Amino acid sequence: MNKKSRYGGGPCFKKQFFPLHANFECSNQEFPAHPCFRACHPVKKKILRVAFTISTPLPLSLPLRFATINLDWNMWFKNLRLCTLPKNWNISANELADALATQAFAACTSIEMTSTGWIPPCEGGGLVHTVGKQMLLTLCTEKKLLPTSVIKEYAKLRAAEIEEQQGYKPGRKQMKEIKEDVTDELLPRAFSIKSRVRVWIDPVNGWLAIDTSSATRAQEVTTYLIKALTDRFPGKMLQAQTPPRIAMTCWLSDDAAPGGFTIDDHIELSSSGDGKGKVKYVKLSADPADIQKHIAAGKHCTQLALTWNDKISFILTENLTIRRVAALDVLKESDVGYAADEAEKFDSDFTLMTGELHQLITDLVGALGGVMKEDAEKEAANDAANKSDGQVPALAAA
């Protein structure tokens, strides 16, 4: 016997959730009593969700306008994927803004599924927001969400109508055309979700930081920078003299973090052998003796939570990605200035963030032996391919 769905009288089908804008409103009369569409309770920060339970397709006359979702954030970067810039990188903010304008964001048309481009980081500003010599960019991506299950249901109905008209079932080629036609009809009414990735450029110290933990999104950002700047973007991902997995393993083995850092309660140890087993300590203080046993058994640290100078907490990963960056109370309490307006507050927060993160990055890279020299990169690539024998190597000299 089929299980009943709490979203309708039909059998229980897979539900797919999509966010609605906070201003979304719909009366009971406008909301048709349809087993495929139900409004759900409010969730985080003024966002509503809508559940699709695919038992019968949505009526084409559904009197709803799906909204574009804008995902908000505070000023502090949540993640840092770092690139190094050459010392002779001297592109000005105006030159950079002109270059980014060639890849400026344009909203999806009625027939486009996705669109990506650069937008102003601050409302009403330019494509490059500058405070002092620090630059802030924002890459925006808009995607339309059109569930495959919804397309299939509409296509099934359309195929039934055609079968009745022509007297036989549509073939594979005709079904493909039907699905394409249905997609074209539904696309203008599909949900549109915008996501943003911010980029901080510090030309003074030679850093470029991308606010994402995803390698794919970071690659997308660098791709669009390369498109805009052509051959004028020679930045490359940061590599340290000592690989983070070796340094973090040494810190745990010695039960001592480098100067200015403390070890927190998130540790991940991974085996490098065929089994690739993992041990995680999350919100739990690890017994140093247990850690020593895991390291002796050949495991290396791949994630380690650290706090820098009691100001900023974060998780360092084996590929030198800094995740879950969070300003602690000491730093928040120190920011007691009063801004005249939102623009001034934005600049003040950006100045505070860049100043503190610059010091954090400098200390962290120093603890990892400094930035890898170009002539050592090939040798490091070869070393990375070799399997560890379980012994903890010594840290490289800074």
Side-chain angles (χ1 to χ4, degrees):
M1 184 175 179
N2 288 334
K3 183 180 177 182
K4 298 293 182 180
S5 169
R6 64 190 178 94
Y7 290 90
C12 184
F13 289 85
K14 181 181 179 181
K15 297 179 288 298
Q16 297 189 23
F17 291 92
F18 301 94
L20 284 179
H21 194 268
N23 297 329
F24 171 81
E25 292 182 1
C26 186
S27 67
N28 292 333
Q29 292 179 345
E30 292 175 323
F31 228 121
H34 196 276
C36 183
F37 195 74
R38 291 291 184 271
C40 291
H41 58 279
V43 293
K44 314 177 191 174
K45 295 185 180 179
K46 302 181 181 179
I47 298 292
L48 297 176
R49 294 197 298 177
V50 166
F52 283 89
T53 56
I54 308 304
S55 54
T56 54
L58 286 169
L60 287 173
S61 59
L62 185 66
L64 291 174
R65 291 166 55 190
F66 297 149
T68 296
I69 313 306
N70 294 315
L71 304 178
D72 295 327
W73 58 75
N74 59 23
M75 168 50 66
W76 278 81
F77 278 32
K78 300 293 190 302
N79 307 280
L80 295 170
R81 291 188 73 93
L82 299 168
C83 297
T84 56
L85 298 174
K87 294 181 179 179
N88 59 354
W89 199 77
N90 57 0
I91 298 177
S92 68
N94 290 335
E95 289 177 314
L96 183 56
D98 291 340
L100 297 183
T102 63
Q103 302 289 331
F105 173 77
C108 288
T109 64
S110 60
I111 60 173
E112 288 181 324
M113 284 293 292
T114 183
S115 178
T116 302
W118 300 98
I119 63 172
C122 188
E123 187 175 355
L127 292 178
V128 179
H129 186 77
T130 306
V131 180
K133 293 185 178 181
Q134 307 299 310
M135 304 179 192
L136 183 66
L137 322 175
T138 302
L139 186 71
C140 178
T141 298
E142 180 181 20
K143 291 183 179 179
K144 288 188 177 180
L145 300 180
L146 189 56
T148 304
S149 52
V150 172
I151 296 174
K152 286 182 179 179
E153 288 296 328
Y154 274 107
K156 192 182 296 184
L157 281 183
R158 186 70 54 83
E161 294 175 359
I162 293 175
E163 180 182 355
E164 187 176 348
Q165 293 171 4
Q166 63 187 17
Y168 57 89
K169 289 184 178 181
R172 183 178 299 178
K173 182 179 180 181
Q174 192 174 8
M175 277 301 302
K176 182 179 179 181
E177 293 174 353
I178 291 172
K179 288 182 179 180
E180 290 175 353
D181 291 341
V182 167
T183 301
D184 291 341
E185 291 176 15
L186 295 178
L187 197 56
R189 294 161 42 205
F191 285 98
S192 178
I193 294 182
K194 286 182 180 178
S195 61
R196 300 170 174 84
V197 178
R198 296 175 299 170
V199 182
W200 160 42
I201 298 177
D202 180 0
V204 177
N205 300 291
W207 302 120
L208 183 145
I210 305 171
D211 186 8
T212 181
S213 61
S214 166
T216 303
R217 295 305 301 273
Q219 182 63 44
E220 183 181 42
V221 169
T222 54
T223 298
Y224 272 83
L225 280 172
I226 292 170
K227 284 182 180 179
L229 296 171
T230 59
D231 59 347
R232 302 181 67 191
F233 180 69
K236 50 190 174 182
M237 298 306 294
L238 171 65
Q239 287 187 292
Q241 286 283 81
T242 304
R245 70 196 308 262
I246 294 177
M248 293 187 293
T249 305
C250 286
W251 300 339
L252 289 175
S253 179
D254 298 339
D255 194 22
F261 294 90
T262 55
I263 297 174
D264 293 341
D265 56 358
H266 180 109
I267 300 171
E268 180 181 282
L269 299 167
S270 299
S271 299
S272 56
D274 295 335
K276 293 187 177 181
K278 288 185 179 181
V279 177
K280 279 188 178 182
Y281 296 85
V282 180
K283 295 184 178 179
L284 179 67
S285 297
D287 185 353
D290 289 341
I291 296 294
Q292 294 285 354
K293 289 179 182 178
H294 289 302
I295 293 174
K299 290 184 174 64
H300 284 78
C301 184
T302 52
Q303 291 187 22
L304 182 64
L306 298 165
T307 295
W308 171 74
N309 285 343
D310 296 326
K311 293 181 178 182
I312 300 173
S313 65
F314 62 95
I315 294 176
L316 178 64
T317 70
E318 61 180 333
N319 60 3
L320 234 177
T321 298
I322 302 173
R323 300 173 49 228
R324 300 185 190 178
V325 178
L328 301 182
D329 292 340
V330 172
L331 191 57
K332 292 177 181 178
E333 290 170 2
S334 66
D335 183 23
V336 296
Y338 295 94
D341 52 31
E342 288 298 321
E344 189 174 328
K345 180 66 166 62
F346 187 91
D347 289 349
S348 175
D349 290 345
F350 182 55
T351 301
L352 176 64
M353 182 195 77
T354 55
E356 296 296 335
L357 290 184
H358 159 61
Q359 292 296 329
L360 164 63
I361 295 169
T362 301
D363 289 352
L364 181 60
V365 172
L368 295 173
V371 177
M372 180 178 292
K373 301 296 186 286
E374 291 185 9
D375 56 359
E377 289 182 356
K378 291 183 179 179
E379 182 181 347
N382 294 332
D383 291 342
N386 297 328
K387 298 293 183 179
S388 172
D389 60 359
Q391 295 180 353
V392 180
L395 285 172

XYZ file of all heavy atoms in Angstrom, residues 306-355:
395
model
N 41.964 26.140 14.183
C 42.931 26.983 14.875
C 42.299 28.310 15.243
O 41.319 28.749 14.622
C 44.153 27.233 13.985
C 44.992 26.019 13.565
C 45.925 26.392 12.419
C 45.786 25.483 14.742
N 42.854 28.952 16.245
C 42.488 30.328 16.588
C 43.758 31.164 16.556
O 44.792 30.757 17.100
C 41.838 30.418 17.974
O 40.591 29.724 17.954
C 41.576 31.874 18.362
N 43.651 32.304 15.899
C 44.806 33.191 15.746
C 44.671 34.388 16.690
O 43.721 35.158 16.612
C 44.903 33.680 14.297
C 45.922 34.750 14.059
C 47.265 34.611 14.013
C 45.659 36.140 13.842
N 47.872 35.825 13.778
C 46.899 36.781 13.664
C 44.477 36.900 13.782
C 47.000 38.160 13.439
C 44.581 38.260 13.554
C 45.841 38.880 13.376
N 45.627 34.510 17.611
C 45.719 35.651 18.538
C 44.407 35.964 19.255
O 44.115 37.128 19.559
C 46.197 36.899 17.785
C 47.672 36.851 17.471
O 48.416 36.063 18.054
N 48.115 37.670 16.534
N 43.611 34.942 19.517
C 42.312 35.109 20.195
C 41.371 36.045 19.446
O 40.430 36.588 20.028
C 42.509 35.638 21.627
C 43.265 34.649 22.499
O 43.088 33.433 22.306
O 44.041 35.100 23.364
N 41.627 36.235 18.151
C 40.809 37.159 17.366
C 39.965 36.463 16.308
O 38.803 36.823 16.105
C 41.701 38.200 16.666
C 42.398 39.173 17.578
C 43.226 40.165 16.750
C 43.907 41.209 17.614
N 44.672 42.181 16.772
N 40.571 35.499 15.618
C 39.894 34.867 14.484
C 40.057 33.358 14.586
O 41.172 32.857 14.775
C 40.469 35.355 13.137
C 40.293 36.865 13.001
C 39.808 34.639 11.968
C 40.983 37.453 11.778
N 38.940 32.641 14.468
C 38.988 31.183 14.413
C 38.754 30.726 12.980
O 38.082 31.396 12.200
C 37.931 30.571 15.341
O 36.631 30.898 14.889
N 39.308 29.559 12.635
C 39.176 29.046 11.273
C 39.577 27.587 11.245
O 40.104 27.040 12.229
C 40.048 29.855 10.297
C 41.524 29.797 10.594
C 42.348 28.867 9.951
C 42.098 30.651 11.525
C 43.705 28.803 10.230
C 43.455 30.594 11.810
C 44.266 29.666 11.160
N 39.331 26.941 10.108
C 39.779 25.566 9.881
C 40.728 25.574 8.694
O 40.383 26.058 7.617
C 38.596 24.622 9.615
C 37.714 24.500 10.859
C 39.090 23.234 9.187
C 36.472 23.655 10.649
N 41.922 25.039 8.907
C 42.915 24.939 7.846
C 42.840 23.544 7.231
O 42.795 22.541 7.952
C 44.321 25.187 8.406
C 45.490 25.062 7.426
C 45.403 26.115 6.335
C 46.826 25.165 8.171
N 42.809 23.469 5.901
C 42.727 22.182 5.221
C 44.067 21.842 4.568
O 44.957 22.694 4.458
C 41.628 22.176 4.143
O 42.036 23.012 3.047
C 40.317 22.689 4.705
N 44.179 20.610 4.102
C 45.433 20.147 3.536
C 45.809 20.849 2.236
O 46.978 20.858 1.845
C 45.376 18.638 3.295
C 44.296 18.202 2.329
C 44.286 16.702 2.128
O 45.357 16.081 2.283
O 43.218 16.154 1.817
N 44.832 21.450 1.541
C 45.151 22.164 0.303
C 45.282 23.669 0.525
O 45.159 24.460 -0.403
C 44.115 21.868 -0.780
C 42.709 22.277 -0.374
O 42.510 22.838 0.703
N 41.745 21.999 -1.220
N 45.478 24.067 1.785
C 45.702 25.463 2.178
C 44.465 26.328 1.972
O 44.574 27.531 1.755
C 46.905 26.061 1.433
C 47.995 26.681 2.317
C 49.172 27.176 1.497
C 47.458 27.793 3.193
N 43.295 25.722 2.031
C 42.045 26.481 2.058
C 41.720 26.801 3.513
O 41.830 25.941 4.389
C 40.894 25.674 1.435
O 41.186 25.416 0.066
C 39.580 26.453 1.521
N 41.330 28.037 3.759
C 40.963 28.473 5.109
C 39.441 28.550 5.160
O 38.830 29.371 4.477
C 41.608 29.823 5.453
C 43.122 29.722 5.330
C 41.214 30.281 6.848
C 43.848 31.053 5.485
N 38.825 27.686 5.951
C 37.373 27.590 6.008
C 36.836 28.096 7.342
O 37.560 28.177 8.323
C 36.927 26.133 5.803
C 37.337 25.521 4.471
C 37.019 24.039 4.421
N 35.644 23.779 4.843
C 35.308 22.851 5.729
N 36.228 22.115 6.311
N 34.039 22.672 6.047
N 35.547 28.413 7.327
C 34.812 28.810 8.539
C 35.520 29.930 9.298
O 35.681 29.878 10.523
C 34.588 27.606 9.447
C 33.782 26.492 8.798
C 33.487 25.394 9.794
N 32.931 24.221 9.152
C 32.610 23.086 9.778
N 32.808 22.988 11.084
N 32.111 22.062 9.116
N 35.916 30.937 8.564
C 36.556 32.094 9.196
C 35.520 32.834 10.034
O 34.425 33.151 9.557
C 37.141 33.036 8.131
C 37.772 34.257 8.778
C 38.162 32.293 7.271
N 35.856 33.115 11.282
C 34.913 33.794 12.184
C 35.667 34.755 13.090
O 36.648 34.370 13.744
C 34.134 32.780 13.014
N 35.213 36.007 13.116
C 35.786 36.994 14.032
C 35.260 36.726 15.429
O 34.052 36.565 15.631
C 35.421 38.404 13.585
N 36.159 36.660 16.401
C 35.756 36.369 17.778
C 35.348 37.641 18.508
O 35.524 38.763 18.013
C 36.895 35.658 18.506
C 37.352 34.330 17.856
C 38.442 33.684 18.681
C 36.164 33.379 17.681
N 34.812 37.468 19.705
C 34.248 38.601 20.456
C 35.271 39.691 20.729
O 34.943 40.872 20.720
C 33.662 38.099 21.781
C 32.431 37.236 21.575
O 31.832 37.336 20.482
O 32.079 36.462 22.480
N 36.522 39.283 20.966
C 37.559 40.285 21.256
C 37.687 41.264 20.101
O 37.808 42.478 20.294
C 38.911 39.590 21.526
C 40.027 40.621 21.641
C 38.837 38.751 22.781
N 37.642 40.750 18.887
C 37.780 41.604 17.711
C 36.518 42.425 17.486
O 36.582 43.595 17.120
C 38.067 40.732 16.483
C 38.493 41.459 15.204
C 39.732 42.303 15.458
C 38.757 40.459 14.095
N 35.362 41.816 17.715
C 34.105 42.542 17.521
C 33.982 43.694 18.514
O 33.504 44.777 18.176
C 32.918 41.586 17.676
C 32.829 40.545 16.567
C 31.680 39.590 16.815
C 31.593 38.538 15.727
N 30.504 37.560 15.983
N 34.400 43.448 19.756
C 34.297 44.492 20.775
C 35.253 45.646 20.501
O 35.019 46.778 20.921
C 34.592 43.892 22.151
C 33.491 42.945 22.637
C 33.908 42.173 23.868
O 35.044 42.408 24.354
O 33.119 41.340 24.345
N 36.347 45.352 19.780
C 37.302 46.415 19.467
C 36.787 47.350 18.388
O 37.284 48.466 18.228
C 38.644 45.811 19.018
O 38.498 45.130 17.783
N 35.786 46.901 17.634
C 35.226 47.719 16.555
C 34.088 48.557 17.124
O 32.909 48.251 16.958
C 34.707 46.820 15.434
C 34.175 47.631 14.253
O 34.599 48.790 14.116
O 33.351 47.094 13.490
N 34.440 49.653 17.807
C 33.450 50.468 18.511
C 33.198 51.790 17.817
O 32.558 52.673 18.357
C 33.900 50.720 19.966
C 33.950 49.416 20.733
C 35.273 51.393 19.990
N 33.712 51.945 16.608
C 33.519 53.200 15.891
C 32.078 53.367 15.447
O 31.312 52.406 15.319
N 31.677 54.601 15.207
C 30.331 54.910 14.768
C 30.390 55.473 13.358
O 31.065 56.464 13.100
C 29.678 55.910 15.723
C 29.474 55.340 17.111
C 30.425 55.550 18.111
C 28.355 54.575 17.409
C 30.255 55.026 19.382
C 28.175 54.040 18.679
C 29.127 54.268 19.655
O 28.957 53.742 20.902
N 29.691 54.818 12.450
C 29.690 55.251 11.058
C 28.509 56.177 10.805
O 27.424 56.004 11.370
C 29.622 54.037 10.137
N 28.733 57.144 9.935
C 27.676 58.114 9.633
C 26.566 57.488 8.801
O 25.403 57.850 8.933
C 28.270 59.326 8.909
N 26.908 56.540 7.930
C 25.905 55.899 7.085
C 26.370 54.487 6.745
O 27.431 54.041 7.169
C 25.662 56.717 5.818
C 26.962 57.048 5.081
O 27.910 56.234 5.157
O 27.029 58.120 4.450
N 25.550 53.787 5.944
C 25.863 52.405 5.595
C 27.143 52.292 4.770
O 27.910 51.348 4.933
C 24.686 51.796 4.821
C 23.458 51.501 5.666
C 23.751 50.473 6.746
O 24.494 49.510 6.473
O 23.240 50.651 7.870
N 27.361 53.260 3.884
C 28.560 53.219 3.049
C 29.818 53.342 3.905
O 30.812 52.632 3.679
C 28.514 54.330 2.004
N 29.784 54.219 4.885
C 30.936 54.390 5.765
C 31.140 53.152 6.630
O 32.276 52.737 6.881
C 30.731 55.624 6.647
C 31.963 56.000 7.449
C 31.787 57.305 8.200
O 31.059 58.192 7.685
O 32.353 57.431 9.302
N 30.044 52.557 7.080
C 30.143 51.328 7.875
C 30.730 50.196 7.021
O 31.548 49.400 7.496
C 28.741 50.932 8.370
C 28.712 49.652 9.211
C 29.454 49.847 10.519
C 29.154 48.730 11.510
N 29.563 47.396 11.069
N 30.314 50.123 5.765
C 30.837 49.116 4.843
C 32.350 49.260 4.704
O 33.091 48.288 4.798
C 30.146 49.276 3.484
C 30.457 48.198 2.492
C 29.667 47.065 2.396
C 31.552 48.314 1.636
C 29.956 46.059 1.482
C 31.845 47.320 0.718
C 31.039 46.195 0.643
N 32.810 50.481 4.477
C 34.246 50.732 4.317
C 35.003 50.443 5.609
O 36.121 49.909 5.585
C 34.489 52.180 3.884
C 34.050 52.433 2.454
O 33.752 51.449 1.751
O 33.994 53.608 2.041
N 34.399 50.795 6.746
C 35.047 50.551 8.033
C 35.220 49.060 8.283
O 36.296 48.603 8.698
C 34.215 51.183 9.157
O 34.751 50.855 10.423
N 34.173 48.278 8.002
C 34.252 46.830 8.192
C 35.265 46.202 7.232
O 35.991 45.276 7.598
C 32.876 46.194 7.977
C 31.898 46.548 9.092
O 32.359 47.025 10.134
O 30.680 46.354 8.904
N 35.292 46.703 6.000
C 36.229 46.167 5.013
C 37.667 46.449 5.428
O 38.548 45.590 5.303
C 35.931 46.779 3.646
C 36.799 46.269 2.537
C 36.891 44.909 2.279
C 37.528 47.138 1.741
C 37.698 44.428 1.245
C 38.323 46.672 0.708
C 38.411 45.307 0.467
N 37.908 47.645 5.938
C 39.247 48.004 6.399
C 39.685 47.120 7.560
O 40.825 46.631 7.605
C 39.293 49.480 6.819
O 38.922 50.302 5.707
C 40.678 49.880 7.299
N 38.779 46.909 8.525
C 39.089 46.054 9.670
C 39.367 44.628 9.216
O 40.345 44.005 9.642
C 37.925 46.071 10.666
C 38.059 45.147 11.875
C 39.231 45.575 12.750
C 36.764 45.119 12.683
N 38.516 44.101 8.329
C 38.675 42.728 7.868
C 40.000 42.533 7.134
O 40.751 41.598 7.423
C 37.515 42.341 6.949
C 37.585 40.902 6.469
S 36.505 40.532 5.075
C 37.436 41.272 3.719
N 40.295 43.409 6.188
C 41.521 43.238 5.396
C 42.770 43.383 6.257
O 43.758 42.669 6.047
C 41.565 44.245 4.237
O 41.407 45.579 4.753
C 40.443 43.977 3.242
N 42.722 44.295 7.215
C 43.877 44.481 8.095
C 44.159 43.240 8.934
O 45.306 42.793 9.045
